[in-house]
Amino acid sequence: MKFANTTVPQEVQNENAQRLSKRHIWNKVFKGVCFAATAFSILMLLVLLIRILTQGIGFLDWGLVANFASRNAEDAGLLAALAGTIWLMMVAAPVSFILGVGTAVYLEEYAPSNKFTNLLQTNISNLAGVPSVVFGLLGLTIFNRLMGMGASVVAGGLTLSLLVLPIIVVASREAISAVPTDVKQASYAMGATKWQTIFRIVIPSALPGVLTGTILALSRAIGETAPILVLGALTYVAATPSGLLSSFTAMPVQIYNWTGRPQQEFQDIAAAGIIILLLMLLFMNSIAVFIRSKFQKRF
Amino acid sequence: MNFKKVWMVPTFATLAVFASACGGGGEESSGSGSEESSGSGSGSEESSGSEESSGEEGNGGSGDIAIDGSSTVFPIMEAVSEEFQQEHGNIEAPVGVSGSGGGFERFIAGETDLSNASRPIEQEEEDALEEAGIEYTELELAYDGLTVAVNPENDFVDNLTFEELSQIFADGSDAQNWSDIRDSWPDEPIDIYAPGTDSGTYDFFSEEVLEEGDVSREAQLSEDDNVLVNGVAGSQNAIGFFGYAYYAENQDSLKAVPIVPQEGGDEGIEPSQETINDQSYPLSRPLFTYVKNESLQENEDVVEYVRFLNDNAGDLAEEVGYVAAPEEVYEENTQKIDEVVNE
């Protein structure tokens, strides 16, 4: 009140106006920087997409998904790699979902907050930053050699599920902790036990977030080359896997091999292969978007 | 109601996949029974008794013939397996790419029947194989010519001696500019491109030209030979080396440098099908596969495959960009195979 009545001296007013315009400029600069950052990444993505599309689209035909690999680029196809990747996902999806969500529920709902839990949480976050080759080595020593699975579909799937586990745990924990406390307390108030509350209230409400996280994590797994190469995945296979212990090759492995060939034709079908891989990714991501929009906003 | 519906989607999905996983699990446990022994067998590598079982079981149902090794040899093996399976549809011969060294590691562990290499086996690897009780037969499959290439606009380099190559590529060499190599050459910095240190191509060059030394730290190294090709094609002062196939496919944008043989003479020899085949090109190198003798003696399919390989490797190698070995080499291979099989 006191200040409102006092007239502000002219020079102070000028100074204020100056400061204000300085802030406005900074505001604009920062906005510009952020926009430039966004534009840059989108532009890069566009360049990449356009390059791949223009190079590969002409080589996209039925033979590419129906044939096995070949020394002749015209006859070469991705059948074994496509089947291998689908088998890998069939192993990796349930394993990483069950382990990931289980860990997240334990950490969010059951774990006491002590040093051990803290250690656990830090390690899970750290695990997300471990290079994927290291997981390949882990898979090679444990699943392939020690457990005698060989370079099989099940060993590859388990390696990939370990690779994406931390991502699923982090995403699921966020989804679970976003479930409002009121709802949980309402459940307890109705006489529900902890198990009932978790199973009927917490998990269903967190599910959209959990599933989105899982699918995005699996989309990462689908493009991984290094860990399955280290594990001992093959490059030329003229058969689709017949069981969990079959040897396999996968999409990124086949594409990587083609890009390294001297002949231009192989690089062209590699581009076409990348388009197929991108389509698979896009399909998986759209499922994630669908689930999120369909089941969100419950409260 | 709504909760239940949401809940059902993943539950069923998970159940379905899990059920199929469990179904396969039975298969898995029945398989791993016999594999357990081989797993421990390769752990204690000297026990030759369990080695026998690991030969057959070690690759965990990964087809009938286990082949792994060099990425340079891979296109030949891919072609051979492709043709082989058209004739013998029931025998699977998948091929892996672990690199020459990585392939030998698996070979030593008893996991593979054939191990491809773009360089001869090393002493260390021989010792490890002996310790593991694995006998093998070396087969030459084809030749590759390590090609030294410059930019097509480079009109001054018309040949290079081994000494000059070493001056250009060796780590710690004083030569920075082309003029440091020969006085008449321009005073421009040399741009060096070379394959990554893991590749057999690098090993071969290091051994033949640099006397086991390293390639200059200033060189651009890449595991992808196409990157090297693009690098040399894009820079006027560049020089690089890679397999002959990469030069053959890009003759318009590269110029191969004739190499003067170490024994002397001042005529440089250019890499070509003929000079690589008769080994007059100084950087011509053989590509190998190593076959486990035990597999040759006990697995009919491996014998069939190796004979097929020896009969067709030359032609198929040419198709994928390499050079066939002289006829005598394949005849010698046949003798070696016969000896082992009839032992």
Side-chain angles (χ1 to χ4, degrees), chain A residues 150-192:
Chain A
S152 60
V153 167
V154 64
L158 289 176
T159 307
L160 287 182
S161 51
L162 284 186
L163 175 72
V164 297
L165 200 59
I167 308 175
I168 296 180
V169 172
V170 170
S172 303
R173 283 189 59 195
E174 261 165 40
I176 288 169
S177 69
V179 176
T181 327
D182 330 6
V183 188
K184 281 196 267 179
Q185 281 172 348
S187 167
Y188 289 133
M190 299 298 284

mmCIF file of all heavy atoms in Angstrom, chain A residues 150-192:
data_model
loop_
_atom_site.group_PDB
_atom_site.id
_atom_site.type_symbol
_atom_site.label_atom_id
_atom_site.label_comp_id
_atom_site.label_asym_id
_atom_site.label_seq_id
_atom_site.Cartn_x
_atom_site.Cartn_y
_atom_site.Cartn_z
ATOM 1 N N GLY A 150 23.643 -72.401 -26.087
ATOM 2 C CA GLY A 150 24.193 -72.115 -27.405
ATOM 3 C C GLY A 150 23.744 -70.744 -27.870
ATOM 4 O O GLY A 150 23.137 -69.986 -27.119
ATOM 5 N N ALA A 151 24.050 -70.429 -29.114
ATOM 6 C CA ALA A 151 23.607 -69.144 -29.663
ATOM 7 C C ALA A 151 22.189 -69.318 -30.180
ATOM 8 O O ALA A 151 21.920 -69.232 -31.357
ATOM 9 C CB ALA A 151 24.540 -68.693 -30.772
ATOM 10 N N SER A 152 21.257 -69.572 -29.251
ATOM 11 C CA SER A 152 19.902 -69.929 -29.656
ATOM 12 C C SER A 152 18.937 -68.776 -29.461
ATOM 13 O O SER A 152 19.271 -67.752 -28.858
ATOM 14 C CB SER A 152 19.432 -71.114 -28.828
ATOM 15 O OG SER A 152 19.446 -70.766 -27.475
ATOM 16 N N VAL A 153 17.734 -68.964 -29.980
ATOM 17 C CA VAL A 153 16.687 -67.958 -29.852
ATOM 18 C C VAL A 153 16.453 -67.603 -28.383
ATOM 19 O O VAL A 153 16.361 -66.429 -28.028
ATOM 20 C CB VAL A 153 15.383 -68.495 -30.478
ATOM 21 C CG1 VAL A 153 14.222 -67.621 -30.090
ATOM 22 C CG2 VAL A 153 15.513 -68.583 -31.979
ATOM 23 N N VAL A 154 16.407 -68.622 -27.523
ATOM 24 C CA VAL A 154 16.097 -68.340 -26.121
ATOM 25 C C VAL A 154 17.234 -67.544 -25.471
ATOM 26 O O VAL A 154 16.986 -66.595 -24.714
ATOM 27 C CB VAL A 154 15.748 -69.636 -25.342
ATOM 28 C CG1 VAL A 154 16.911 -70.577 -25.270
ATOM 29 C CG2 VAL A 154 15.241 -69.311 -23.972
ATOM 30 N N ALA A 155 18.482 -67.875 -25.808
ATOM 31 C CA ALA A 155 19.605 -67.117 -25.251
ATOM 32 C C ALA A 155 19.557 -65.665 -25.730
ATOM 33 O O ALA A 155 19.777 -64.735 -24.954
ATOM 34 C CB ALA A 155 20.931 -67.757 -25.653
ATOM 35 N N GLY A 156 19.251 -65.478 -27.029
ATOM 36 C CA GLY A 156 19.160 -64.126 -27.577
ATOM 37 C C GLY A 156 18.036 -63.341 -26.932
ATOM 38 O O GLY A 156 18.207 -62.177 -26.560
ATOM 39 N N GLY A 157 16.872 -63.978 -26.794
ATOM 40 C CA GLY A 157 15.715 -63.309 -26.203
ATOM 41 C C GLY A 157 15.985 -62.902 -24.766
ATOM 42 O O GLY A 157 15.651 -61.787 -24.350
ATOM 43 N N LEU A 158 16.621 -63.802 -24.000
ATOM 44 C CA LEU A 158 16.913 -63.484 -22.601
ATOM 45 C C LEU A 158 17.923 -62.340 -22.517
ATOM 46 O O LEU A 158 17.793 -61.452 -21.678
ATOM 47 C CB LEU A 158 17.450 -64.723 -21.883
ATOM 48 C CG LEU A 158 16.408 -65.813 -21.628
ATOM 49 C CD1 LEU A 158 17.058 -67.044 -20.993
ATOM 50 C CD2 LEU A 158 15.284 -65.308 -20.731
ATOM 51 N N THR A 159 18.919 -62.354 -23.396
ATOM 52 C CA THR A 159 19.905 -61.269 -23.404
ATOM 53 C C THR A 159 19.225 -59.932 -23.676
ATOM 54 O O THR A 159 19.466 -58.947 -22.981
ATOM 55 C CB THR A 159 20.969 -61.523 -24.489
ATOM 56 O OG1 THR A 159 21.517 -62.823 -24.300
ATOM 57 C CG2 THR A 159 22.069 -60.503 -24.424
ATOM 58 N N LEU A 160 18.345 -59.918 -24.671
ATOM 59 C CA LEU A 160 17.656 -58.670 -25.009
ATOM 60 C C LEU A 160 16.734 -58.237 -23.871
ATOM 61 O O LEU A 160 16.598 -57.049 -23.587
ATOM 62 C CB LEU A 160 16.853 -58.834 -26.299
ATOM 63 C CG LEU A 160 17.677 -58.889 -27.582
ATOM 64 C CD1 LEU A 160 16.776 -59.001 -28.786
ATOM 65 C CD2 LEU A 160 18.555 -57.649 -27.713
ATOM 66 N N SER A 161 16.100 -59.209 -23.186
ATOM 67 C CA SER A 161 15.201 -58.789 -22.118
ATOM 68 C C SER A 161 15.986 -58.195 -20.962
ATOM 69 O O SER A 161 15.521 -57.261 -20.310
ATOM 70 C CB SER A 161 14.286 -59.928 -21.665
ATOM 71 O OG SER A 161 15.011 -61.066 -21.387
ATOM 72 N N LEU A 162 17.187 -58.713 -20.711
ATOM 73 C CA LEU A 162 18.024 -58.094 -19.680
ATOM 74 C C LEU A 162 18.400 -56.679 -20.080
ATOM 75 O O LEU A 162 18.430 -55.767 -19.262
ATOM 76 C CB LEU A 162 19.307 -58.900 -19.477
ATOM 77 C CG LEU A 162 19.185 -60.183 -18.690
ATOM 78 C CD1 LEU A 162 20.560 -60.769 -18.464
ATOM 79 C CD2 LEU A 162 18.521 -59.908 -17.350
ATOM 80 N N LEU A 163 18.678 -56.511 -21.375
ATOM 81 C CA LEU A 163 19.090 -55.208 -21.896
ATOM 82 C C LEU A 163 18.017 -54.147 -21.667
ATOM 83 O O LEU A 163 18.313 -53.009 -21.313
ATOM 84 C CB LEU A 163 19.394 -55.345 -23.392
ATOM 85 C CG LEU A 163 19.738 -54.084 -24.166
ATOM 86 C CD1 LEU A 163 21.111 -53.607 -23.775
ATOM 87 C CD2 LEU A 163 19.677 -54.343 -25.649
ATOM 88 N N VAL A 164 16.748 -54.508 -21.870
ATOM 89 C CA VAL A 164 15.695 -53.495 -21.776
ATOM 90 C C VAL A 164 15.022 -53.477 -20.412
ATOM 91 O O VAL A 164 14.193 -52.611 -20.143
ATOM 92 C CB VAL A 164 14.625 -53.688 -22.874
ATOM 93 C CG1 VAL A 164 15.244 -53.516 -24.241
ATOM 94 C CG2 VAL A 164 13.941 -55.025 -22.765
ATOM 95 N N LEU A 165 15.394 -54.428 -19.549
ATOM 96 C CA LEU A 165 14.772 -54.501 -18.235
ATOM 97 C C LEU A 165 14.807 -53.180 -17.466
ATOM 98 O O LEU A 165 13.769 -52.730 -16.967
ATOM 99 C CB LEU A 165 15.434 -55.620 -17.428
ATOM 100 C CG LEU A 165 14.646 -56.168 -16.249
ATOM 101 C CD1 LEU A 165 13.316 -56.711 -16.723
ATOM 102 C CD2 LEU A 165 15.442 -57.255 -15.559
ATOM 103 N N PRO A 166 15.967 -52.542 -17.359
ATOM 104 C CA PRO A 166 16.008 -51.293 -16.603
ATOM 105 C C PRO A 166 15.047 -50.233 -17.146
ATOM 106 O O PRO A 166 14.414 -49.519 -16.366
ATOM 107 C CB PRO A 166 17.448 -50.813 -16.748
ATOM 108 C CG PRO A 166 18.208 -51.883 -17.400
ATOM 109 C CD PRO A 166 17.289 -52.938 -17.861
ATOM 110 N N ILE A 167 14.904 -50.173 -18.464
ATOM 111 C CA ILE A 167 14.006 -49.176 -19.048
ATOM 112 C C ILE A 167 12.574 -49.473 -18.609
ATOM 113 O O ILE A 167 11.818 -48.572 -18.229
ATOM 114 C CB ILE A 167 14.089 -49.204 -20.587
ATOM 115 C CG1 ILE A 167 15.541 -49.107 -21.039
ATOM 116 C CG2 ILE A 167 13.256 -48.092 -21.190
ATOM 117 C CD1 ILE A 167 15.710 -49.239 -22.534
ATOM 118 N N ILE A 168 12.200 -50.747 -18.638
ATOM 119 C CA ILE A 168 10.840 -51.119 -18.252
ATOM 120 C C ILE A 168 10.614 -50.842 -16.769
ATOM 121 O O ILE A 168 9.563 -50.332 -16.376
ATOM 122 C CB ILE A 168 10.579 -52.605 -18.587
ATOM 123 C CG1 ILE A 168 10.654 -52.804 -20.094
ATOM 124 C CG2 ILE A 168 9.233 -53.053 -18.049
ATOM 125 C CD1 ILE A 168 10.407 -54.211 -20.540
ATOM 126 N N VAL A 169 11.616 -51.154 -15.960
ATOM 127 C CA VAL A 169 11.465 -50.917 -14.522
ATOM 128 C C VAL A 169 11.242 -49.431 -14.248
ATOM 129 O O VAL A 169 10.321 -49.049 -13.515
ATOM 130 C CB VAL A 169 12.703 -51.431 -13.748
ATOM 131 C CG1 VAL A 169 12.639 -51.010 -12.302
ATOM 132 C CG2 VAL A 169 12.809 -52.934 -13.862
ATOM 133 N N VAL A 170 12.054 -48.597 -14.861
ATOM 134 C CA VAL A 170 11.938 -47.156 -14.611
ATOM 135 C C VAL A 170 10.574 -46.632 -15.078
ATOM 136 O O VAL A 170 9.880 -45.920 -14.337
ATOM 137 C CB VAL A 170 13.090 -46.394 -15.311
ATOM 138 C CG1 VAL A 170 12.847 -44.901 -15.266
ATOM 139 C CG2 VAL A 170 14.416 -46.733 -14.654
ATOM 140 N N ALA A 171 10.161 -47.042 -16.292
ATOM 141 C CA ALA A 171 8.871 -46.574 -16.811
ATOM 142 C C ALA A 171 7.726 -47.068 -15.944
ATOM 143 O O ALA A 171 6.790 -46.313 -15.619
ATOM 144 C CB ALA A 171 8.688 -47.044 -18.245
ATOM 145 N N SER A 172 7.777 -48.334 -15.526
ATOM 146 C CA SER A 172 6.699 -48.900 -14.721
ATOM 147 C C SER A 172 6.620 -48.242 -13.355
ATOM 148 O O SER A 172 5.539 -47.987 -12.832
ATOM 149 C CB SER A 172 6.909 -50.406 -14.527
ATOM 150 O OG SER A 172 7.005 -51.047 -15.763
ATOM 151 N N ARG A 173 7.789 -47.952 -12.780
ATOM 152 C CA ARG A 173 7.777 -47.306 -11.467
ATOM 153 C C ARG A 173 7.119 -45.944 -11.547
ATOM 154 O O ARG A 173 6.348 -45.559 -10.671
ATOM 155 C CB ARG A 173 9.207 -47.160 -10.947
ATOM 156 C CG ARG A 173 9.757 -48.442 -10.408
ATOM 157 C CD ARG A 173 11.053 -48.193 -9.716
ATOM 158 N NE ARG A 173 10.877 -47.252 -8.611
ATOM 159 C CZ ARG A 173 11.888 -46.634 -8.017
ATOM 160 N NH1 ARG A 173 13.117 -46.839 -8.418
ATOM 161 N NH2 ARG A 173 11.658 -45.798 -7.027
ATOM 162 N N GLU A 174 7.437 -45.220 -12.614
ATOM 163 C CA GLU A 174 6.829 -43.906 -12.764
ATOM 164 C C GLU A 174 5.319 -44.026 -12.891
ATOM 165 O O GLU A 174 4.562 -43.281 -12.267
ATOM 166 C CB GLU A 174 7.398 -43.194 -13.983
ATOM 167 C CG GLU A 174 8.470 -42.204 -13.599
ATOM 168 C CD GLU A 174 9.278 -41.759 -14.796
ATOM 169 O OE1 GLU A 174 8.674 -41.548 -15.861
ATOM 170 O OE2 GLU A 174 10.504 -41.634 -14.651
ATOM 171 N N ALA A 175 4.882 -45.002 -13.691
ATOM 172 C CA ALA A 175 3.445 -45.190 -13.881
ATOM 173 C C ALA A 175 2.776 -45.581 -12.571
ATOM 174 O O ALA A 175 1.692 -45.095 -12.243
ATOM 175 C CB ALA A 175 3.203 -46.247 -14.943
ATOM 176 N N ILE A 176 3.432 -46.447 -11.808
ATOM 177 C CA ILE A 176 2.826 -46.914 -10.559
ATOM 178 C C ILE A 176 2.778 -45.792 -9.529
ATOM 179 O O ILE A 176 1.786 -45.610 -8.825
ATOM 180 C CB ILE A 176 3.598 -48.140 -10.016
ATOM 181 C CG1 ILE A 176 3.316 -49.351 -10.899
ATOM 182 C CG2 ILE A 176 3.198 -48.434 -8.579
ATOM 183 C CD1 ILE A 176 4.201 -50.537 -10.622
ATOM 184 N N SER A 177 3.841 -45.006 -9.469
ATOM 185 C CA SER A 177 3.847 -43.941 -8.462
ATOM 186 C C SER A 177 2.890 -42.816 -8.838
ATOM 187 O O SER A 177 2.546 -41.985 -8.001
ATOM 188 C CB SER A 177 5.265 -43.407 -8.259
ATOM 189 O OG SER A 177 5.667 -42.707 -9.411
ATOM 190 N N ALA A 178 2.439 -42.807 -10.096
ATOM 191 C CA ALA A 178 1.494 -41.768 -10.511
ATOM 192 C C ALA A 178 0.059 -42.119 -10.139
ATOM 193 O O ALA A 178 -0.846 -41.298 -10.288
ATOM 194 C CB ALA A 178 1.603 -41.532 -12.012
ATOM 195 N N VAL A 179 -0.171 -43.338 -9.653
ATOM 196 C CA VAL A 179 -1.525 -43.706 -9.224
ATOM 197 C C VAL A 179 -1.844 -42.928 -7.943
ATOM 198 O O VAL A 179 -1.098 -42.995 -6.975
ATOM 199 C CB VAL A 179 -1.606 -45.226 -8.946
ATOM 200 C CG1 VAL A 179 -2.978 -45.581 -8.403
ATOM 201 C CG2 VAL A 179 -1.297 -46.002 -10.199
ATOM 202 N N PRO A 180 -2.948 -42.155 -7.944
ATOM 203 C CA PRO A 180 -3.236 -41.283 -6.810
ATOM 204 C C PRO A 180 -3.380 -42.058 -5.496
ATOM 205 O O PRO A 180 -3.951 -43.145 -5.483
ATOM 206 C CB PRO A 180 -4.580 -40.653 -7.185
ATOM 207 C CG PRO A 180 -4.706 -40.829 -8.641
ATOM 208 C CD PRO A 180 -3.949 -42.044 -8.995
ATOM 209 N N THR A 181 -2.832 -41.475 -4.433
ATOM 210 C CA THR A 181 -2.906 -42.137 -3.140
ATOM 211 C C THR A 181 -4.357 -42.285 -2.682
ATOM 212 O O THR A 181 -4.707 -43.271 -2.024
ATOM 213 C CB THR A 181 -2.134 -41.311 -2.084
ATOM 214 O OG1 THR A 181 -1.031 -40.692 -2.742
ATOM 215 C CG2 THR A 181 -1.637 -42.184 -0.972
ATOM 216 N N ASP A 182 -5.216 -41.307 -3.011
ATOM 217 C CA ASP A 182 -6.622 -41.355 -2.572
ATOM 218 C C ASP A 182 -7.280 -42.652 -3.007
ATOM 219 O O ASP A 182 -8.017 -43.275 -2.254
ATOM 220 C CB ASP A 182 -7.479 -40.223 -3.164
ATOM 221 C CG ASP A 182 -6.702 -38.967 -3.432
ATOM 222 O OD1 ASP A 182 -5.468 -39.005 -3.257
ATOM 223 O OD2 ASP A 182 -7.322 -37.970 -3.828
ATOM 224 N N VAL A 183 -6.992 -43.037 -4.252
ATOM 225 C CA VAL A 183 -7.650 -44.221 -4.785
ATOM 226 C C VAL A 183 -7.225 -45.459 -4.012
ATOM 227 O O VAL A 183 -8.034 -46.313 -3.657
ATOM 228 C CB VAL A 183 -7.325 -44.393 -6.278
ATOM 229 C CG1 VAL A 183 -8.167 -45.501 -6.878
ATOM 230 C CG2 VAL A 183 -7.556 -43.101 -7.015
ATOM 231 N N LYS A 184 -5.922 -45.508 -3.733
ATOM 232 C CA LYS A 184 -5.417 -46.652 -2.969
ATOM 233 C C LYS A 184 -6.032 -46.665 -1.572
ATOM 234 O O LYS A 184 -6.476 -47.704 -1.083
ATOM 235 C CB LYS A 184 -3.885 -46.569 -2.853
ATOM 236 C CG LYS A 184 -3.174 -47.029 -4.105
ATOM 237 C CD LYS A 184 -1.711 -47.294 -3.833
ATOM 238 C CE LYS A 184 -0.864 -46.079 -4.128
ATOM 239 N NZ LYS A 184 0.551 -46.261 -3.863
ATOM 240 N N GLN A 185 -6.078 -45.467 -0.967
ATOM 241 C CA GLN A 185 -6.618 -45.408 0.392
ATOM 242 C C GLN A 185 -8.093 -45.762 0.404
ATOM 243 O O GLN A 185 -8.578 -46.409 1.322
ATOM 244 C CB GLN A 185 -6.368 -44.025 0.984
ATOM 245 C CG GLN A 185 -4.939 -43.924 1.469
ATOM 246 C CD GLN A 185 -4.555 -42.528 1.900
ATOM 247 O OE1 GLN A 185 -5.283 -41.575 1.646
ATOM 248 N NE2 GLN A 185 -3.415 -42.423 2.548
ATOM 249 N N ALA A 186 -8.791 -45.355 -0.650
ATOM 250 C CA ALA A 186 -10.205 -45.719 -0.765
ATOM 251 C C ALA A 186 -10.344 -47.229 -0.799
ATOM 252 O O ALA A 186 -11.232 -47.810 -0.162
ATOM 253 C CB ALA A 186 -10.799 -45.105 -2.029
ATOM 254 N N SER A 187 -9.422 -47.872 -1.523
ATOM 255 C CA SER A 187 -9.456 -49.326 -1.620
ATOM 256 C C SER A 187 -9.242 -49.961 -0.249
ATOM 257 O O SER A 187 -9.977 -50.851 0.164
ATOM 258 C CB SER A 187 -8.385 -49.792 -2.601
ATOM 259 O OG SER A 187 -8.201 -51.171 -2.503
ATOM 260 N N TYR A 188 -8.225 -49.438 0.477
ATOM 261 C CA TYR A 188 -7.982 -49.966 1.823
ATOM 262 C C TYR A 188 -9.191 -49.737 2.700
ATOM 263 O O TYR A 188 -9.583 -50.586 3.490
ATOM 264 C CB TYR A 188 -6.761 -49.284 2.450
ATOM 265 C CG TYR A 188 -5.449 -49.688 1.814
ATOM 266 C CD1 TYR A 188 -4.512 -48.731 1.452
ATOM 267 C CD2 TYR A 188 -5.164 -51.038 1.602
ATOM 268 C CE1 TYR A 188 -3.307 -49.096 0.877
ATOM 269 C CE2 TYR A 188 -3.961 -51.413 1.027
ATOM 270 C CZ TYR A 188 -3.045 -50.438 0.665
ATOM 271 O OH TYR A 188 -1.862 -50.807 0.110
ATOM 272 N N ALA A 189 -9.818 -48.569 2.569
ATOM 273 C CA ALA A 189 -10.969 -48.212 3.396
ATOM 274 C C ALA A 189 -12.123 -49.166 3.167
ATOM 275 O O ALA A 189 -12.929 -49.417 4.061
ATOM 276 C CB ALA A 189 -11.404 -46.775 3.100
ATOM 277 N N MET A 190 -12.191 -49.705 1.958
ATOM 278 C CA MET A 190 -13.259 -50.661 1.671
ATOM 279 C C MET A 190 -12.915 -52.046 2.200
ATOM 280 O O MET A 190 -13.651 -53.000 2.009
ATOM 281 C CB MET A 190 -13.496 -50.786 0.161
ATOM 282 C CG MET A 190 -13.908 -49.508 -0.512
ATOM 283 S SD MET A 190 -15.468 -48.885 0.111
ATOM 284 C CE MET A 190 -16.588 -50.004 -0.694
ATOM 285 N N GLY A 191 -11.744 -52.161 2.842
ATOM 286 C CA GLY A 191 -11.381 -53.432 3.440
ATOM 287 C C GLY A 191 -10.530 -54.310 2.554
ATOM 288 O O GLY A 191 -10.319 -55.480 2.865
ATOM 289 N N ALA A 192 -10.039 -53.775 1.436
ATOM 290 C CA ALA A 192 -9.199 -54.589 0.552
ATOM 291 C C ALA A 192 -7.829 -54.785 1.177
ATOM 292 O O ALA A 192 -7.338 -53.922 1.900
ATOM 293 C CB ALA A 192 -9.054 -53.905 -0.801
#
